[in-house]
Amino acid sequence: MTDLGKIDRTFFDRHIAPNLGADRDDVAIGPTHGVDFGVLDIDGTALVTATDPLSILPDLGLERAARFALDLVLADVAVSGVAPSHLSISFTLPDRITDDEFATIWKTIDAECADLGVAVVTGHTARYADLSYPWVGGATAMGVGDHDDIVRPDGTREGDRLLLTNGPAVESVGLLSTLFGEQLPLSDDVLEAARNRLEDVFSVRDAVTAAAAGPVTAMHDVTEGGLAGALTEMAEGAGVRFAIDRAAVPMRPGVREVCDVLEIDPWAATSCGSLVIAVDPDGVDDVRRALEDRHTPVAEIGRVEAVATGDGTVTVDGERLEHPLVDPSWEAYADLADGSDP
């Protein structure tokens, strides 16, 4: 098991996968390492669901922190191609939060849910002693739709083209430069560009837009383990090879500089807001155009190839890419929070 962040595949296969409660016929897609969502069959209707921790970072400003926390929860349903429609949310709040502070968080979540067409159906809210930010609860997102509309996590096929929105490490760089910018030996211009990456961390609307625009065969949001983790998880799930062109991978302003200072690999660092999208060749132009109409940066970074063995792999400029053992942004955050110099 990793020291920080998500469990690794070995831990999942040993401890989680063999112990999943009752075996029910209505579970169409159950827990799988690296897969963002599960699916239930309810009398022929698909219920897509995903659960995530709820993270609020007050230093981002409560409104922006609340939007970020909500988008992270809803994104794991959105990458199924079915728009999120319902939300169950539980707040386990630190006792120092004021009524006004919580009201700001909740009104922001309410407004964003209303804009996305998401109804809050149940929840829990309480203060408890000995709790602290950022981890303040958890939430389950749901989406109701047709089974045929689901973009399966293992749906990538030979010949598909691979698109990437935004690029590596936008979340890590945006957060670390905003929270700890005064500790980074970078120019004001670079820090401003890096802090602007927080505007790239919202992916729900991009995922829904991409799925509606063209024949998307698989999507994965670039969370813990970064771009390298997302690519390897998608390729392994489908049993195919991803052939990636490193030069085609976009790098947003400020990302390279912050990662260099912190000595972290941008391809291994979490990047909520970025999506890897596998698209049938006939739909590439339509998906790109739809995303660009939303002013979302998007690039074609590679293609999908068949593998005779059925073992999924990723190559970058011909060299094999491995799944990162640990997301380096966790250690960088801990060091900067302790006041250590990069």
Side-chain angles (χ1 to χ4, degrees):
M1 184 174 182
T2 54
D3 292 332
L4 294 171
K6 290 182 180 179
I7 60 172
D8 56 29
R9 182 179 293 274
T10 299
F11 186 94
F12 178 87
D13 290 343
R14 181 179 300 168
H15 298 289
I16 305 298
N19 305 292
L20 298 175
D23 184 10
R24 292 182 56 94
D25 293 337
D26 54 2
V27 179
I29 297 178
T32 305
H33 187 266
V35 174
D36 298 309
F37 57 87
V39 179
L40 299 179
D41 177 71
I42 311 297
D43 293 330
T45 297
L47 175 65
V48 182
T49 182
T51 298
D52 275 295
L54 199 63
S55 172
I56 299 288
L57 288 161
D59 288 345
L60 298 180
L62 290 177
E63 292 183 1
R64 182 161 60 174
R67 285 186 62 222
F68 179 37
L70 177 66
D71 196 271
L72 188 149
V73 170
L74 298 181
D76 279 354
V77 166
V79 295
S80 75
V82 174
S85 55
H86 299 83
L87 179 70
S88 170
I89 190 165
S90 173
F91 287 99
T92 52
L93 301 165
D95 54 8
R96 66 186 177 92
I97 190 172
T98 68
D99 289 359
D100 286 344
E101 288 170 338
F102 178 75
T104 297
I105 292 169
W106 187 243
K107 287 177 181 178
T108 302
I109 289 174
D110 165 62
E112 189 72 354
C113 281
D115 188 63
L116 288 166
V118 174
V120 177
V121 292
T122 189
H124 169 90
T125 305
R127 293 185 180 93
Y128 297 100
D130 300 323
L131 296 180
S132 61
Y133 294 111
W135 307 111
V136 297
T140 295
M142 292 160 275
V144 179
D146 295 332
H147 285 280
D148 291 343
D149 292 335
I150 292 175
V151 178
R152 290 185 57 90
D154 58 355
T156 313
R157 303 169 303 206
E158 179 186 3
D160 286 347
R161 311 262 278 279
L162 297 168
L163 303 181
L164 175 66
T165 64
N166 291 314
V170 295
E171 175 202 358
S172 298
V173 166
L175 287 175
L176 295 174
S177 60
T178 298
L179 297 173
F180 308 109
E182 70 282 356
Q183 296 170 237
L184 304 179
L186 295 168
S187 69
D188 290 343
D189 288 346
V190 171
L191 282 175
E192 181 180 4
R195 288 167 175 153
N196 285 340
R197 300 287 63 79
L198 280 182
E199 299 305 313
D200 299 333
V201 301
F202 305 103
S203 63
V204 171
R205 292 174 178 83
D206 286 341
V208 173
T209 297
V216 171
T217 61
M219 274 192 288
H220 199 3
D221 55 344
V222 183
T223 53
E224 290 183 47
L227 178 59
L231 290 170
T232 54
E233 288 167 3
M234 285 181 72
E236 288 172 0
V240 295
R241 179 188 296 115
F242 285 4
I244 305 299
D245 176 6
R246 183 178 293 275
V249 174
M251 197 74 70
R252 299 286 281 150
V255 168
R256 175 63 67 187
E257 293 88 342
V258 171
C259 287
D260 285 349
V261 163
L262 296 176
E263 298 182 348
I264 64 176
D265 178 2
W267 280 46
T270 183
S271 190
C272 287
S274 298
L275 296 169
V276 178
I277 308 170
V279 187
D280 183 281
D282 291 339
V284 170
D285 290 342
D286 289 338
V287 173
R288 290 192 65 164
R289 189 179 305 112
L291 290 167
E292 288 167 353
D293 286 346
R294 284 188 36 76
H295 306 291
T296 298
V298 57
E300 184 176 334
I301 64 169
R303 64 189 183 278
V304 180
E305 302 173 341
V307 180
T309 61
D311 297 324
T313 60
V314 179
T315 62
V316 180
D317 296 341
E319 297 185 4
R320 180 159 181 161
L321 180 70
E322 300 291 346
H323 194 296
L325 295 177
V326 178
D327 189 315
S329 64
W330 285 101
E331 184 175 356
Y333 180 95
D335 288 344
L336 291 168
D338 287 341
S340 302
D341 292 330

